[in-house]
Amino acid sequence: MEIISQNFLPHCSLVTWSGSNRLVPNRSNILLPSGGIRKSRFVIRNGTSDGYVVGENDDLGTISRRGGDSKTKVLIPGLPDQSNGEAAAARITTSQCEWKPNLTVHYEKSGCGNVEAPAVLFLPGFGVGSFHYEKQLADLGRDYRVWAVDFVGQGLSLPTQDPTTTTSSTSTTLSEETSGLGVKQPFWGFGDEAQPWADQLVYSLDLWREQVQYIVEEVIGEPVYIAGNSLGGYVALYFAATHPHLVKGVTLLNATPFWGFFPNPVRSPRLARLFPWSGTFPLPPRVKKLTELVWQKISDPESIAEILKQVYKDHSTDVDKVFSRIVKITQHPAAAASFASIMFAPGGELSFSEALSRCKENNVQICLMYGREDPWVGPIWGKKIKKELPNAPYYEISPAGHCPHDEVPEVVNYLMRGWIKHLESGGYEALPLLEDGEEDWEQSSIAAEMEFPRGEERKKAVNLWLYGSKYSFWGGVGEAFRASLVRVLRGKFV
């Protein structure tokens, strides 16, 4: 194989393989503000759709061609905190800000020294926090200014004071010595009356949407690329639907398309009045008893470990840090009542479908990245969004479960970079897997094998699909059914 210099044409590379030459457009050769030229990827093809896409930092000498494989192979960098020759990871710092009385928002940030870089905000799923995005903060923080927040009522954004009062209460303020350190304390929120600052407080979609608005306007101070996993995906879409001027693009990571089991008082005031309690403080007596029983079960470390085992497809993924952080959160005295408030909170003023329609009306750019083996929010929900937005890029990763950003962060980070570059360049930079040109976007799907280093002297590979504008929803459902059937049969006869 011979690769001839790409400098003879400003936007093309000539690739020679077995005597067959091809000019490959380098859409990633664009002028930088400093006057330089961004280094482009080499795209290697042999005329039969098999080949390799080599990242700008990869060593061409390590590539070997596999005969008979019709799938593109893409070599991408590993995480920066691994021993693979990558640059040092971005420094992560933690901060807090008081948003409302006794409601302190915890967030983490990285890369904030580069004031010219785009701002990226990550929103967490239910039961976790900003710590779930440390692999994005450490990696993407090298190129962008990155934030990740904890929703109030979750993570380290739990209240700093008991939202209720009781006759036997003496001092309910959380001290630094006992905060999150496993010290047993009475449940906060189980008192007789709500504190004035907690009157009508309920941990709901609408409250989190307001929180995100505060973070974007007051902490970040400019429009952002916003990404969310699971519950965070719903909130990201909801915020973009109501504040499109503050959003440059939305990335949905296995976003849950539903949240809240009870009617919203603004949408359905008469129906909402039929339900005596809607997640406010204090908890009613019956709810207190139910919460104690349920909380005892779900906060047990064995239950938490079992849930993580369900949502992560690759059980070799190190989830020790995630596990310990979740366990620590459950030990906060406000965690049980906050959980009850979240579970009984009304749905949002906008349903997921309505939020999606508003984003479509306002031309909000949306990108979908879904783990194919998600047992909770299967890719069928991503395919339904794709049906509504045919031109939205939809990537499916396998094997990967409910949290692809933590299970295969190398792939998600690679896609995030490509997605942001695509939007920042006004579409001049091709989307990931479209380096050969936009004509491929018309295909129903493009497949690739993503290979990346992980740990010392170890490589990992996963499959990636990009579904184009001609993607058929029912065809995708049939494909998913066939894939599930194959997995079942393999498990039965292996």
Side-chain angles (χ1 to χ4, degrees):
M1 179 185 71
E2 177 187 3
I3 298 180
I4 300 177
S5 171
Q6 61 178 335
N7 296 325
F8 73 101
L9 286 175
H11 300 301
C12 291
S13 291
L14 179 65
V15 177
T16 301
W17 195 331
S18 303
S20 175
N21 295 340
R22 287 189 65 188
L23 280 176
V24 180
N26 290 335
R27 292 169 57 89
S28 54
N29 264 353
I30 65 172
L31 292 176
L32 297 172
S34 60
I37 297 178
R38 178 174 288 130
K39 195 172 181 180
S40 65
R41 300 177 180 86
F42 287 102
V43 183
I44 305 175
R45 304 287 185 194
N46 69 351
T48 60
S49 80
D50 58 322
Y52 305 84
V53 180
V54 186
E56 56 190 353
N57 296 320
D58 293 310
D59 181 5
L60 295 175
T62 65
I63 302 172
S64 61
R65 180 169 175 251
R66 297 182 304 168
D69 187 359
S70 62
K71 186 182 297 182
T72 299
K73 184 174 184 179
V74 183
L75 306 182
I76 61 176
L79 296 179
D81 57 347
Q82 296 176 333
S83 302
N84 52 28
E86 292 296 310
R91 179 172 172 264
I92 302 174
T93 59
T94 61
S95 298
Q96 289 184 335
C97 60
E98 187 175 31
W99 173 41
K100 294 177 181 290
N102 294 299
L103 290 181
T104 299
V105 176
H106 173 91
Y107 62 93
E108 299 184 3
K109 57 183 178 180
S110 67
C112 295
N114 186 358
V115 296
E116 300 297 327
V120 185
L121 174 63
F122 286 96
L123 305 181
F126 174 62
V128 291
S130 53
F131 62 84
H132 214 201
Y133 290 110
E134 287 186 354
K135 296 170 184 175
Q136 281 66 50
L137 290 159
D139 185 6
L140 297 178
R142 297 183 295 167
D143 300 315
Y144 309 108
R145 292 173 297 140
V146 185
W147 284 262
V149 303
D150 293 18
F151 289 138
V152 288
Q154 295 194 161
L156 297 180
S157 292
L158 287 160
T160 56
Q161 190 179 76
D162 190 337
T164 60
T165 59
T166 60
T167 55
S168 59
S169 176
T170 55
S171 177
T172 56
T173 302
L174 183 67
S175 67
E176 294 181 359
E177 291 78 16
T178 60
S179 174
L181 297 180
V183 179
K184 298 293 183 181
Q185 297 188 53
F187 288 150
W188 290 3
F190 279 59
D192 302 320
E193 296 181 1
Q195 296 270 22
W197 63 268
D199 184 44
Q200 300 305 309
L201 171 66
V202 54
Y203 298 120
S204 65
L205 283 170
D206 290 294
L207 183 69
W208 295 325
R209 180 196 58 177
E210 293 177 19
Q211 177 192 348
V212 173
Q213 180 183 356
Y214 171 80
I215 291 295
V216 173
E217 291 182 336
E218 302 299 328
V219 177
I220 300 176
E222 64 182 79
V224 298
Y225 291 98
I226 190 166
N229 171 235
S230 191
L231 167 62
Y234 193 150
V235 178
L237 189 73
Y238 193 3
F239 175 70
T242 55
H243 299 81
H245 62 290
L246 295 177
V247 176
K248 300 174 74 174
V250 179
T251 300
L252 301 180
L253 300 161
N254 288 75
T256 180
F258 36 76
W259 194 263
F261 302 104
F262 300 97
N264 185 281
V266 175
R267 287 172 57 95
S268 308
R270 292 183 179 179
L271 188 60
R273 284 196 291 268
L274 298 177
F275 295 86
W277 187 63
S278 58
T280 55
F281 296 94
L283 278 63
R286 291 184 179 180
V287 175
K288 292 177 186 177
K289 294 179 181 179
L290 177 62
T291 300
E292 287 186 273
L293 292 174
V294 174
W295 187 249
Q296 184 178 5
K297 174 61 178 177
I298 67 171
S299 64
D300 181 76
E302 290 187 4
S303 298
I304 295 171
E306 183 60 31
I307 291 173
L308 291 176
K309 185 178 179 181
Q310 289 180 19
V311 298
Y312 283 77
K313 172 61 178 177
D314 184 357
H315 294 161
S316 68
T317 305
D318 184 3
V319 296
D320 289 349
K321 183 178 289 187
V322 173
F323 171 78
S324 62
R325 295 285 187 88
I326 295 175
V327 171
K328 184 176 180 179
I329 292 168
T330 63
Q331 296 168 350
H332 192 291
S338 298
F339 165 78
S341 176
I342 292 170
M343 290 295 98
F344 284 88
E349 292 184 23
L350 291 180
S351 68
F352 188 93
S353 179
E354 290 169 334
L356 185 65
S357 295
R358 281 205 189 180
C359 286
K360 185 177 180 180
E361 292 171 3
N362 292 312
N363 197 31
V364 175
Q365 299 300 307
I366 297 176
C367 183
L368 312 169
M369 303 178 193
Y370 279 64
R372 175 172 277 195
E373 286 75 30
D374 186 349
W376 291 356
V377 184
I380 188 173
W381 296 105
K383 290 178 168 68
K384 290 184 69 173
I385 300 173
K386 175 64 176 176
K387 182 182 178 182
E388 296 296 320
L389 305 173
N391 292 321
Y394 170 47
Y395 294 94
E396 206 167 275
I397 311 167
S398 179
H402 187 60
C403 310
H405 62 285
D406 192 48
E407 193 169 357
V408 281
E410 299 89 349
V411 177
V412 169
N413 293 356
Y414 167 79
L415 295 177
M416 285 288 295
R417 279 190 172 93
W419 164 242
I420 293 174
K421 287 180 181 179
H422 177 73
L423 294 184
E424 286 291 300
S425 67
Y428 183 73
E429 290 240 16
L431 288 164
L433 299 193
L434 288 182
E435 283 83 354
D436 253 359
E438 292 296 335
E439 65 275 5
D440 287 340
W441 185 239
E442 296 297 321
Q443 297 182 20
S444 59
S445 66
I446 300 173
E449 181 184 26
M450 315 297 290
E451 185 177 285
F452 45 89
R454 179 174 285 186
E456 296 182 4
E457 301 180 356
R458 180 189 169 199
K459 288 188 176 180
K460 184 176 177 65
V462 298
N463 295 314
L464 179 69
W465 292 266
L466 169 62
Y467 293 94
S469 57
K470 290 185 177 179
Y471 164 79
S472 166
F473 171 73
W474 290 111
V477 172
E479 176 189 332
F481 175 77
R482 289 190 295 272
S484 299
L485 183 61
V486 168
R487 287 196 297 270
V488 171
L489 292 176
R490 282 178 178 174
K492 184 176 181 180
F493 293 107
V494 172

